[in-house]
Amino acid sequence: MNLYSIGKPLVALYLRFGFKIQVIGRENVPDQGGALICCNHLSNFDPPLVGTVLSRPLSFVAKEELFKIPLFGAVLRRLNAFPIRRGTGDRGAIRLAMKLLREGHALLIFPEGHRNLKHTKMQHAYSGAGFFALKTNAVVVPCAIIGRYKFRGKMKIVFGNPLNMEELKDRKLKSSEVTAIIMKHIEQLIATHTSSTA
């Protein structure tokens, strides 16, 4: 057993004690094959929260600075995370993400690139999500985290319907345009499911 499989049930127990978690649309994430899960970003809790509600393991990207923290960086790597230099077109991170998706792994990314404390209004997104969606055959699933990380607060994770990538590829869209479409789907999930979350 690796650190991910050992730590996942422990983290799940902690999160379920700390928050009232509701999951919607879990069936939209395939059990096998390349899957690109694109999510809004509220907190550093987001990756473990999404990771613990899915049966399959997730890989995810995190800002390079976190990997420079002694011990913590090593733990991150063993939890299927890999670093990215934001805003630089980090070729190493891009190649690794492409490799994971093409090999049939599930990858969680946050197109905004950093935490968004506004919760409901999406920020400008980097084009990486659209690039990965166009250049691989991964299933692209929009995901919304709704709520605030306060003790025993309600948290909702919503997985939307996968995007029709064949149609988007036929339209010869740019990576930035596909990213914008992905972000629109995330916004729609937030708008649809926010009212019932206190």
Side-chain angles (χ1 to χ4, degrees), residues 69-142:
I69 301 173
L71 186 60
F72 183 66
V75 171
L76 274 179
R77 291 183 186 277
R78 296 188 66 185
L79 293 175
N80 297 349
F82 60 95
I84 186 168
R85 295 189 300 276
R86 296 180 298 183
T88 65
D90 187 338
R91 293 185 178 182
I94 291 171
R95 283 195 296 267
L96 180 53
M98 298 276 286
K99 180 175 183 290
L100 289 169
L101 291 170
R102 287 170 174 167
E103 291 180 351
H105 295 274
L107 177 64
L108 172 66
I109 66 171
F110 303 100
E112 292 169 291
H114 47 79
R115 289 172 291 170
N116 180 355
L117 301 181
K118 294 182 180 178
H119 290 259
T120 56
K121 184 176 177 57
M122 304 298 289
Q123 300 178 117
H124 172 75
Y126 295 101
S127 61
F131 179 83
F132 297 143
L134 289 171
K135 297 298 183 180
T136 71
N137 291 320
V139 175
V140 181
V141 181

Side-chain angles (χ1 to χ4, degrees), residues 26 34 39 43 61 65 68 79 88 114 117 130 168 171 179:
R26 193 175 356 225
C39 190
S43 164
V61 295
E65 294 83 354
K68 296 178 181 179
L79 293 175
T88 65
H114 47 79
L117 301 181
L168 296 180
R171 290 166 57 186
T179 296

Side-chain angles (χ1 to χ4, degrees), residues 26-192:
R26 193 175 356 225
E27 68 279 1
N28 289 324
V29 180
D31 293 329
Q32 296 180 338
L36 179 65
I37 302 170
C38 303
C39 190
N40 61 319
H41 196 10
L42 306 182
S43 164
N44 289 331
F45 280 115
D46 295 343
L49 183 67
V50 177
T52 56
V53 302
L54 295 176
S55 58
R56 66 183 298 182
L58 290 181
S59 297
F60 62 96
V61 295
K63 60 182 180 180
E64 184 183 43
E65 294 83 354
L66 294 176
F67 292 84
K68 296 178 181 179
I69 301 173
L71 186 60
F72 183 66
V75 171
L76 274 179
R77 291 183 186 277
R78 296 188 66 185
L79 293 175
N80 297 349
F82 60 95
I84 186 168
R85 295 189 300 276
R86 296 180 298 183
T88 65
D90 187 338
R91 293 185 178 182
I94 291 171
R95 283 195 296 267
L96 180 53
M98 298 276 286
K99 180 175 183 290
L100 289 169
L101 291 170
R102 287 170 174 167
E103 291 180 351
H105 295 274
L107 177 64
L108 172 66
I109 66 171
F110 303 100
E112 292 169 291
H114 47 79
R115 289 172 291 170
N116 180 355
L117 301 181
K118 294 182 180 178
H119 290 259
T120 56
K121 184 176 177 57
M122 304 298 289
Q123 300 178 117
H124 172 75
Y126 295 101
S127 61
F131 179 83
F132 297 143
L134 289 171
K135 297 298 183 180
T136 71
N137 291 320
V139 175
V140 181
V141 181
C143 173
I145 299 175
I146 303 167
R148 296 183 183 274
Y149 288 96
K150 57 184 180 180
F151 182 66
R152 300 309 293 162
K154 293 181 180 179
M155 298 298 300
K156 189 180 293 184
I157 307 110
V158 185
F159 298 99
N161 293 321
L163 274 64
N164 185 341
M165 286 309 304
E166 289 187 11
E167 176 188 343
L168 296 180
K169 289 177 180 179
D170 287 344
R171 290 166 57 186
K172 307 296 185 183
L173 298 176
K174 298 177 181 178
S175 297
S176 58
E177 293 172 315
V178 174
T179 296
I181 291 171
I182 293 171
M183 296 300 287
K184 191 67 176 178
H185 280 265
I186 297 173
E187 287 181 329
Q188 290 172 349
L189 292 176
I190 294 173
T192 302

